[in-house]
Amino acid sequence: MSDPSWQIRPECAEDAPLVELLNAVSFGPGRYAKSAYRLREGVDPVAGLSFVAVDGSDLLGSIRFWPVAIGMDKSLLLGPLAVQPGLRGRGIGIALMKHAIAAAREQGYPSIILVGDEPYYVRVGFARLAPGRIKFPGPVDPDRVLGLSLAQHNVMLTIKGEVRRARIDHFVSASGAAVAG
Ligand SMILES: CC(C)(COP(=O)(O)OP(=O)(O)OC[C@H]1O[C@@H](n2cnc3c(N)ncnc32)[C@H](O)[C@@H]1OP(=O)(O)O)[C@@H](O)C(=O)NCCC(=O)NCCS
C-alpha cells in the first residue's frame, strides 16, 4: 500500500453502524430495491470476508460479500463496496477488493460474481458473463453481470443457473423488518 496512513483490517462489530452509514450515503435508499439486495435479505455477510479501510478510528471504506448459490455451485456476491465520498480515487476501493479477493481465494471459494461497472472491476480481474448464463432474482442489466474465477480452471466458463441465497439466517417480514426468533 503506497499510503501508510491507512490500513485494511477485518470488520468488527463496532464498525457495523459506520459501515451501514457509509452504504446509506453511497447508495441511498434505492439500494434495497436492487435485485442483488434480494440475495442479501435475511442473510448475514460472509464471516471472515468483511473488511474495512481505516485511518485510526476513521472509517475510509468497506467491502462485504454474501454467500450465494448458482445452480449447484456455491459462489460469493461482492458488495457493497464503498469508499467515503471525499476519499475516492486514492486506490482504497481497489485495495479493499484485492485484499478481500485474496482472502476469498485462501478460504477456498471458487468464484465471485457482482452487478457493477465493468470498466472498474476489470482492474481486479472481473469479466462480463455471457448474457443469460446466470439469472438474478429480478431485473439486472446483463452488461453489468460480472464474474471472477478463483479456481484453477475458469469456473466462469461453466457456471450457470439461478442465483439464490445460499442460506437464510433471519426470517424477514413482508415489510422487510427482521423478525425475532
Ligand atoms: C466505486 C468506488 C467504491 C471506487 O472507490 P475508489 O476508492 O474511489 O476507487 P479507486 O481509487 O480504487 O479507483 C479509482 C479509479 O477507478 C475509476 N473508477 C471509479 N469508479 C468507477 C466506475 N464506476 N467505472 C469506471 N471506473 C471507475 C476511477 O476513475 C479511478 O481511475 P484512475 O485510477 O484511472 O484515476 C467509490 O467510488 C464508491 O464508493 N462509489 C459509490 C458506491 C459504489 O458505486 N460502489 C460500487 C457499486 S457497483
Side-chain angles (χ1 to χ4, degrees):
M1 212 178 295
S2 56
D3 183 350
S5 73
W6 55 272
Q7 56 163 305
I8 293 174
R9 63 159 172 76
E11 181 187 326
C12 60
E14 295 73 43
D15 297 319
L18 288 176
V19 170
E20 297 300 340
L21 190 60
L22 174 60
N23 288 333
V25 167
S26 300
F27 297 99
R31 67 193 186 281
Y32 297 118
K34 291 182 178 166
S35 295
Y37 189 79
R38 301 280 80 75
L39 298 163
R40 301 184 179 120
E41 225 161 23
V43 187
D44 293 331
V46 177
L49 282 182
S50 295
F51 295 98
V52 287
V54 292
D55 185 351
S57 59
D58 293 340
L59 178 81
L60 313 188
S62 153
I63 191 168
R64 288 171 166 175
F65 291 79
W66 259 259
V68 292
I70 306 174
M72 300 295 286
D73 299 303
K74 71 171 186 174
S75 187
L76 291 168
L77 178 69
L78 187 155
L81 164 70
V83 171
Q84 296 288 3
L87 299 173
R88 293 176 187 165
R90 299 183 182 192
I92 297 171
I94 295 286
L96 276 166
M97 282 199 286
K98 285 185 174 167
H99 189 94
I101 289 168
R105 187 177 275 118
E106 265 173 35
Q107 292 176 31
Y109 287 94
S111 65
I112 303 174
I113 58 164
L114 64 85
V115 181
D117 295 336
E118 185 189 20
Y120 183 58
Y121 292 99
V122 76
R123 295 175 182 225
V124 290
F126 282 87
R128 203 182 297 185
L129 291 186
R133 184 169 275 283
I134 68 173
K135 191 172 178 313
F136 278 79
V140 291
D141 177 349
D143 289 346
R144 291 168 54 80
V145 177
L146 312 179
L148 171 67
S149 174
L150 304 178
Q152 286 190 344
H153 62 288
N154 187 355
V155 180
M156 287 304 150
L157 295 177
T158 53
I159 205 161
K160 61 191 247 189
E162 285 188 16
V163 188
R164 307 179 315 277
R165 292 178 290 184
R167 55 163 208 266
I168 297 174
D169 300 313
H170 317 279
F171 291 105
V172 175
S173 75
S175 67
V179 176

